[in-house]
Amino acid sequence: MLDTIRRLVDEQGRLSVAAATIGDDADLYATGLTSFAAVQLMLALEETFDIEFPDRMLNRRSFSSISAIAGCLHELKGEEAA
Amino acid sequence: MNAPLDHGANVVATAARHADDVDRNGRFPIEAVQALKDARLLSLLIPIEFGGGGASLADVAEICTSLGQHCASTAMIFAMHQIKASSLIAHGRGSAWHEAFMRRVADEQLLLGSATTEGGVGGNMRNSICAFERDGAIFRIAKEGALISYGAYSDAILVTARRASDAPPSDQQMAVLEKSQYRLERTGSWDALGMRGTCSEGFTFSGEAPVEQIFTHDFAEIASESMLATAHLLWSAVWFGVASDALSRAQSFVRKDARRHPNGPAPGALRLAEAANKLQLMRVNIVEGLKRFAKAQQNEDDLNSMSFAVAMNNIKIGSSQLSIEIINHALLIAGIAGYKNDTPFSVGRHMRDALSAQVMISNDRIFTNLSTLLLAQRIDQRLGD
Ligand SMILES: Cc1cc2nc3c(=O)[nH]c(=O)nc-3n(C[C@H](O)[C@H](O)[C@H](O)COP(=O)(O)OP(=O)(O)OC[C@H]3O[C@@H](n4cnc5c(N)ncnc54)[C@H](O)[C@@H]3O)c2cc1C
């Protein structure tokens, strides 16, 4: 999952560095993620993982790092399985 | 009676007395700003523990509205100062320098200016070209093409820039620089349609200061947690003041007319009802926004959420559009008496001042941002909260 997230971050995040060089917990905003790019990234994640981000996850923290994104996906996938 | 609002009454009277001259000559409202200092209203928002008034944003908004009814320039200066103060309060806590500075704002009634926009990025304040260039314990900054309201009269300016010269444009920080630490080179005048007393001249801002004066919180947090909301709410409160004064002038016109022609209402009378309806929309929009902000301040996730950003942006768009519609109605009601500058029903200055609302961070730019956010954010279909 982390690899897929990294690929989508590369495609949609418009960061100043390659996602492969960013740690799981590194701050994506500090590498140039804007709120516009975060929305594009969210749409790509929804398409790829076949989920929908609920309003409560639409905040800065959810997209702040690769692991924060993975955390949201786990929670959403988990809810689906339950 | 509310104490801060009581103090505000003297300031409002002073602002009203000089408003015409301030507007005509495009000069800084020295008398009204001095009155604000004398009444210790520049530290109104600052917590009592730091020597301020400890007031709520709603109290500040109320004063913005009262001032806006008489001198929109003074009202806007007061609003912009308080927006900077709110960032200091929300994000300066825990930093020894910023806490000490907050005390000084209260003790010395310092006037805070803002340099968040920049030539080349226009109203997109979440992008900077300039950067904080660190050199040991100090940093240097040079921002070109900055429109800084009352820049020449500020005691300190809060300025945004990229974290470092190799940081992306959106990775910004904000710093406080005191008058002795910066130089302002005037690059543009402020002979504008309205808001003439704000003296929002163009400058190249350059300065250096100790790095401790840079906020530790990222500007992204400052923008979403204090600046966006307070700016849109307080600006709207000013524009509400401008619009409500225009409408009350129109109402006097209708009443006078009705006394003279008891048998038939003036043609403009219907417009008064229509505009009063718009004024109510404007008011509830702002009041509901103040409540939403007060509630979101208890919850960091909500403060940083898209729905909150959408709500605050909508308040700005709504009040900037409604104010112009209301003032235009007031003009139609009073006719020539409203169009002329020297009658009690004149709304010329109101219109000129209010026109700034849609370009002060361009509404089109905000609509574009909103349409992006709405790719994600669901439409809120609930009536209550
Ligand atoms: C009274 C007043 C006081 C001010 N005081 C200060 C101050 O103290 N400090 C400070 O930093 N700034 C201040 N500003 C400046 C303000 O913050 C903005 O920089 C400015 O209002 C926007 O400038 P602009 O229209 O030139 O730029 P832009 O926002 O770039 O807009 C230019 C034009 O391009 C269009 N446009 C741009 N981007 C988009 C987009 N994405 N989508 C659609 N259309 C777009 C707009 O519609 C507009 O017609 C003040 C402005 C006013 C009116």
Side-chain angles (χ1 to χ4, degrees):
Chain A
M1 178 188 272
L2 292 180
D3 286 344
T4 314
I5 296 175
R6 278 207 163 73
R7 176 173 60 80
L8 297 176
V9 167
D10 265 333
E11 286 169 10
Q12 308 293 343
R14 301 180 203 181
L15 305 188
S16 55
V17 293
T21 65
I22 301 175
D24 289 354
D25 294 317
D27 182 356
L28 293 179
Y29 295 105
T31 50
L33 185 70
T34 61
S35 52
F36 179 75
V39 169
Q40 300 298 60
L41 175 58
M42 184 213 78
L43 294 174
L45 289 161
E46 289 190 341
E47 182 68 21
T48 309
F49 291 97
D50 192 26
I51 39 114
E52 273 205 9
F53 278 83
D55 279 342
R56 71 185 154 83
M57 283 186 185
L58 297 179
N59 58 50
R60 221 179 130 68
R61 206 175 51 191
S62 301
F63 299 92
S64 61
S65 65
I66 308 260
S67 57
I69 295 170
C72 291
L73 294 180
H74 276 301
E75 196 180 324
L76 292 174
K77 282 293 189 190
E79 276 169 18
E80 228 170 61
Chain B
M1 185 63 184
N2 204 329
L5 303 186
D6 251 356
H7 293 305
N10 303 323
V11 184
V12 170
T14 308
R17 206 155 47 239
H18 299 281
D20 276 333
D21 186 58
V22 162
D23 176 63
R24 192 170 306 119
N25 296 308
R27 70 157 177 93
F28 184 69
I30 331 167
E31 302 86 353
V33 172
Q34 188 57 49
L36 281 167
K37 294 184 177 199
D38 293 343
R40 295 189 57 76
L41 290 178
L42 293 188
S43 54
L44 187 57
L45 258 188
I46 292 180
I48 292 165
E49 57 175 309
F50 296 112
S56 68
L57 194 72
D59 278 347
V60 171
E62 194 74 56
I63 295 181
C64 287
T65 296
S66 306
L67 283 169
Q69 287 160 17
H70 303 282
C71 177
S73 288
T74 302
M76 191 47 85
I77 291 166
F78 179 69
M80 290 193 278
H81 164 85
Q82 299 296 348
I83 294 157
K84 296 297 110 181
S86 79
S87 294
L88 204 54
I89 296 158
H91 304 280
R93 273 177 190 271
S95 146
W97 191 87
H98 294 92
E99 287 189 355
F101 182 70
M102 228 183 323
R103 255 180 237 289
R104 285 190 42 214
V105 172
D107 289 349
E108 301 166 36
Q109 293 293 301
L110 302 179
L111 180 64
L112 309 177
S114 170
T116 51
T117 58
E118 180 174 8
V121 297
N124 183 2
M125 70 168 103
R126 286 293 287 103
N127 266 316
S128 288
I129 297 167
C130 64
F132 291 119
E133 304 194 18
R134 288 172 173 73
D135 182 358
I138 67 152
F139 68 86
R140 267 183 278 279
I141 175 175
K143 184 178 263 216
E144 285 178 30
L147 196 76
I148 309 178
S149 290
Y150 54 95
Y153 303 89
S154 302
D155 298 306
I157 291 178
L158 279 70
V159 58
T160 51
R162 284 179 295 139
R163 182 180 307 274
S165 41
D166 57 357
S170 62
D171 184 17
Q172 300 160 293
Q173 290 188 303
M174 182 156 83
V176 184
L177 276 89
E178 297 184 54
K179 203 179 189 74
S180 61
Q181 297 172 319
Y182 60 75
R183 291 163 299 284
L184 291 174
E185 190 191 321
R186 213 179 253 103
T187 55
S189 60
W190 183 250
D191 181 3
L193 205 52
M195 291 293 178
R196 293 172 57 83
T198 60
C199 300
S200 307
E201 297 166 316
F203 296 100
T204 295
F205 174 101
S206 57
E208 59 269 321
V211 286
E212 63 189 355
Q213 291 178 217
I214 301 178
F215 284 87
T216 51
H217 296 259
D218 292 348
F219 180 61
E221 276 174 73
I222 299 177
S224 66
E225 294 179 11
S226 64
M227 199 173 142
L228 175 90
T230 52
H232 290 345
L233 290 167
L234 295 185
W235 291 350
S236 294
V238 172
W239 302 327
F240 178 77
V242 176
S244 63
D245 186 62
L247 196 58
S248 94
R249 286 172 184 228
Q251 185 187 30
S252 319
F253 183 89
V254 170
R255 288 162 58 98
K256 193 164 162 229
D257 195 66
R259 284 196 294 268
R260 243 185 284 148
H261 308 103
N263 296 325
L270 268 182
R271 295 230 177 246
L272 181 63
E274 204 186 334
N277 177 287
K278 290 175 192 283
L279 193 73
Q280 179 172 331
L281 287 180
M282 196 178 172
R283 183 171 185 276
V284 293
N285 199 26
I286 300 167
V287 171
E288 135 86 14
L290 284 163
K291 286 188 189 145
R292 172 89 207 260
F293 180 47
K295 202 167 155 212
Q297 275 180 307
Q298 315 298 323
N299 177 348
E300 202 179 312
D301 268 351
D302 189 25
L303 214 46
N304 278 300
S305 69
M306 283 189 194
S307 70
F308 180 70
V310 169
M312 294 301 127
N313 279 310
N314 273 332
I315 287 164
K316 190 270 179 178
I317 300 259
S319 52
S320 61
Q321 292 181 335
L322 283 168
S323 58
I324 294 168
E325 290 173 23
I326 292 163
I327 298 164
N328 194 45
H329 270 46
L331 179 62
L332 289 169
I333 292 165
I336 290 297
Y339 193 68
K340 283 171 64 171
N341 286 322
D342 55 357
T343 81
F345 313 107
S346 168
V347 292
R349 173 147 57 85
H350 301 70
M351 184 59 103
R352 288 187 289 103
D353 286 336
L355 283 173
S356 70
Q358 50 190 348
V359 297
M360 191 161 179
I361 310 299
S362 158
N363 277 6
D364 279 351
R365 189 184 274 286
I366 298 179
F367 270 129
T368 308
N369 292 345
L370 279 172
S371 61
T372 303
L373 292 178
L374 288 168
L375 290 174
Q377 173 63 34
R378 282 359 149 254
I379 300 291
D380 191 346
Q381 295 183 305
R382 294 159 312 163
L383 185 57
D385 46 21

